Amino acid sequence: MNIVVVGAQWGDEGKGKVIDVLAEEADILIRYQGGHNAGHTVIVDGEEFIFHLIPSGLLHQGKVGLIGNGVVIDPEALLEEMSRLQRRGIDVQQAVKISDQAHVIFPYHKRLDLLEESTRPGRLGTTGRGIGPCYVDKVARAGIRIADFCNPQAFPKKLRQAVEEKNRLLKALYNEPPIAYEELLARYSGFAARLAPHVVNEVRFLREAMAQGKRLLLEGAQGTLLDLDHGTYPYVTSSNATAGGACTGAGIPPTAIHRIIGVVKAYTTRVGEGPLPTEFGPELMQRIRTKGNEFGATTGRPRRCGWFDAVVARHAVWVNGCHSVAVTKLDVLDEMDTINICTGYRNGTKTLEEFPADLEVLGHCAPVYEQLPGWRTKTCDAASFEELPANAQRYVKRLEALLGVPICLISTGSGREQAFKTACW
Ligand code: GDP
Ligand code: IMO
Ligand code: MG
């Protein structure tokens, strides 16, 4: 049995926590897209760990974590993350595997990301990690893959070509100083030598693992509304965060995926620019941001918060083919008197039930809300659905009805134990 866990809103839904809970029963944990723009938080015994490139389940001993071909890898960021895990007693030398087909992020990608952000007419609010420019090179067939990077014969030539091209671009478009090739080559050859022992042919590695009956847990980064094709374009990331990306980004066939779990917060957040139809006014924004500690795990930026948006979540359930949904951060709503759920968008006299592609149309829409009573009771100690206050049960049941699929996991706190689930595997 292989499972994909995917964000069903705008990222930061609590995927890291859900992966950590499910990872106990998995053998191989896989990241399939994105890069270190992701920040996935896991809290065990009060100690926080934020994963950026390495799959979030690795705090469980004896697991393998594979970084798939669909991921863009900043070698320096990955090596730092490996050192942090090593200090936590995880044997990263054994545990971490890297696909030879993943693409490498270089400092010029980061520079271009920042320059593009500062010169484009409307900012996107990217994480500034070089993610977009690296995927641009991949699609333009000008990227450098891990296989090239870790080949000391091929790498200098490929890097020289890339640097010459980027230097022309930096000068012509931005009048910026050039990149020093020799210095970059020396530093990055050092990183390549350290990462080389982790590199595998991922297609073979996973085929053999599946033949031995190993269980795969695939971890989406970002979320459905940040997906390059299915999100709020252009306010999206540059990869396919949705479940389809799990096949192309990990080199496994669609038929090898048996379960897809979407993750939603009990409300909605987004970080960066772009539409957020159910965004709170200033007072509620402040309250929920503080209570939910809604600050980016990667950049520390305050997250924008709003009511649960069932139009968004239904879109995500459909596009990903979710069999079930995990709901996190229910506890953040504990003190509310009443809670709104957006069930549709009103556009003039029409009510839209589908998420529109045209952001101008979306801009003219007003959310249609349904109001439910709050529960005004702590939920963090609940060990089962039955132990939740009646109005919290009612809220969850209403979400389930609106989504049209079962809720398989409920999280009521950031710690590993603060979650209960039905059979997910
Ligand atoms: P991810 O990117 O989807 O993995 O999510 P992040 O880690 O960026 O953000 C989720 C945040 O919510 C983290 O700070 C988690 O520790 C925290 N969190 C996860 N589940 C819960 C929950 O049920 N309740 C509360 N209060 N915090 C949670
Ligand atoms: P996790 O995996 C939330 C957002 C950025 C920006 C847009 C494009 O932790 O859920 P990029 O740097 O990817 O080109 O930025 O996408 N973004 C995220 N928002 N969670 C994330 O990851 C994100 N990764 C990127 O804020 O709006
Ligand atoms: Mg995050």
Side-chain angles (χ1 to χ4, degrees):
M1 167 86 85
N2 304 321
I3 298 185
V4 178
V5 170
V6 66
Q9 295 162 324
W10 276 277
D12 302 329
E13 297 90 347
K15 298 176 293 294
K17 154 128 195 203
V18 171
I19 289 281
D20 175 66
V21 170
L22 299 181
E24 201 173 353
E25 293 177 61
D27 299 297
I28 303 180
L29 310 155
I30 306 167
R31 269 284 304 274
Y32 60 82
Q33 47 69 233
H36 65 314
N37 48 351
H40 296 179
T41 315
V42 177
I43 299 181
V44 183
D45 299 330
E47 220 184 315
E48 180 182 82
F49 198 93
I50 300 176
F51 292 87
H52 298 289
L53 276 163
I54 293 177
S56 304
L58 273 203
L59 293 184
H60 296 272
Q61 299 280 349
K63 310 288 175 189
V64 169
L66 172 72
I67 303 176
N69 65 280
V71 176
V72 286
I73 300 176
D74 179 323
E76 193 171 16
L78 176 56
L79 285 162
E80 273 171 22
E81 195 173 338
M82 283 165 64
S83 306
R84 287 201 298 273
L85 262 187
Q86 188 78 55
R87 286 199 293 274
R88 289 282 292 262
I90 306 294
D91 181 5
V92 291
Q93 294 315 321
Q94 288 296 322
V96 176
K97 308 283 178 205
I98 306 168
S99 162
D100 55 3
Q101 298 184 106
H103 280 247
V104 181
I105 298 181
F106 290 94
Y108 49 77
H109 290 126
K110 185 173 169 175
R111 250 174 97 182
L112 287 169
D113 194 355
L114 299 174
L115 285 164
E116 284 165 11
E117 269 292 87
S118 63
T119 52
R120 70 163 62 90
R123 288 180 66 242
L124 300 180
T126 74
T127 59
R129 300 292 194 270
I131 306 295
C134 185
Y135 279 117
V136 166
D137 276 356
K138 173 176 177 175
V139 173
R141 294 154 295 180
I144 297 180
R145 296 168 311 154
I146 289 286
D148 314 315
F149 178 55
C150 292
N151 174 343
Q153 277 74 48
F155 180 50
K157 187 159 158 253
K158 291 204 184 267
L159 186 69
R160 186 184 285 280
Q161 265 173 10
V163 165
E164 281 172 1
E165 192 237 5
K166 297 305 176 213
N167 281 345
R168 282 197 297 276
L169 196 70
L170 286 169
K171 173 104 182 73
L173 281 188
Y174 304 105
N175 200 23
E176 280 277 313
I179 303 150
Y181 165 74
E182 294 295 345
E183 203 181 303
L184 186 65
L185 177 67
R187 214 155 73 83
Y188 274 65
S189 296
F191 296 150
R194 288 167 65 195
L195 289 178
H198 298 272
V199 176
V200 294
N201 173 332
E202 142 216 59
V203 172
R204 192 174 75 200
F205 183 79
L206 292 181
R207 191 178 61 228
E208 287 174 0
M210 281 188 275
Q212 290 164 18
K214 298 258 164 71
R215 300 205 219 197
L216 315 185
L217 180 56
L218 296 110
E219 173 176 1
Q222 291 81 53
T224 304
L225 277 292
L226 288 172
D227 180 278
L228 181 58
D229 288 270
H230 299 291
T232 44
Y233 191 91
Y235 301 99
V236 292
T237 192
S238 300
S239 63
N240 286 117
T242 43
C247 303
T248 54
I252 59 168
T255 45
I257 293 174
H258 308 110
R259 285 276 177 282
I260 297 158
I261 300 177
V263 185
V264 294
K265 275 180 191 167
Y267 48 101
T268 310
T269 65
R270 109 169 270 174
V271 56
E273 308 304 317
L276 179 58
T278 60
E279 192 159 4
F280 292 137
E283 198 193 318
L284 258 180
M285 178 76 79
Q286 183 64 27
R287 206 169 137 193
I288 295 295
R289 185 180 283 155
T290 307
K291 171 92 171 132
N293 191 24
E294 293 296 355
F295 296 89
T298 295
T299 58
R301 291 178 292 175
R303 295 182 186 137
R304 298 155 61 197
C305 309
W307 296 114
F308 187 86
D309 188 333
V311 182
V312 160
R314 259 200 313 257
H315 169 68
V317 164
W318 172 252
V319 168
N320 292 296
C322 295
H323 295 87
S324 61
V325 166
V327 178
T328 65
K329 304 193 93 158
L330 191 65
D331 54 302
V332 177
L333 301 179
D334 282 354
E335 287 148 29
M336 305 296 289
D337 290 321
T338 54
I339 301 170
N340 288 352
I341 301 176
C342 168
T343 54
Y345 298 152
R346 185 154 302 128
N347 183 14
T349 54
K350 281 192 287 192
T351 300
L352 308 185
E353 286 178 3
E354 299 289 335
F355 198 85
D358 185 341
L359 296 192
E360 278 205 19
V361 171
L362 190 59
H364 291 118
C365 288
V368 178
Y369 287 119
E370 179 178 305
Q371 195 168 72
L372 270 75
W375 44 93
R376 302 195 52 84
T377 315
K378 260 173 56 178
T379 53
C380 63
D381 298 323
S384 67
F385 184 72
E386 290 67 36
E387 286 182 26
L388 287 175
N391 282 347
Q393 291 190 15
R394 188 170 157 191
Y395 183 68
V396 171
K397 282 281 164 207
R398 186 62 190 136
L399 297 189
E400 197 167 52
L402 286 165
L403 296 176
V405 292
I407 287 174
C408 61
L409 183 151
I410 297 174
S411 171
T412 59
S414 54
R416 182 183 272 176
E417 327 66 42
Q418 289 162 316
F420 43 88
K421 60 180 187 341
T422 55
C424 291
W425 281 97

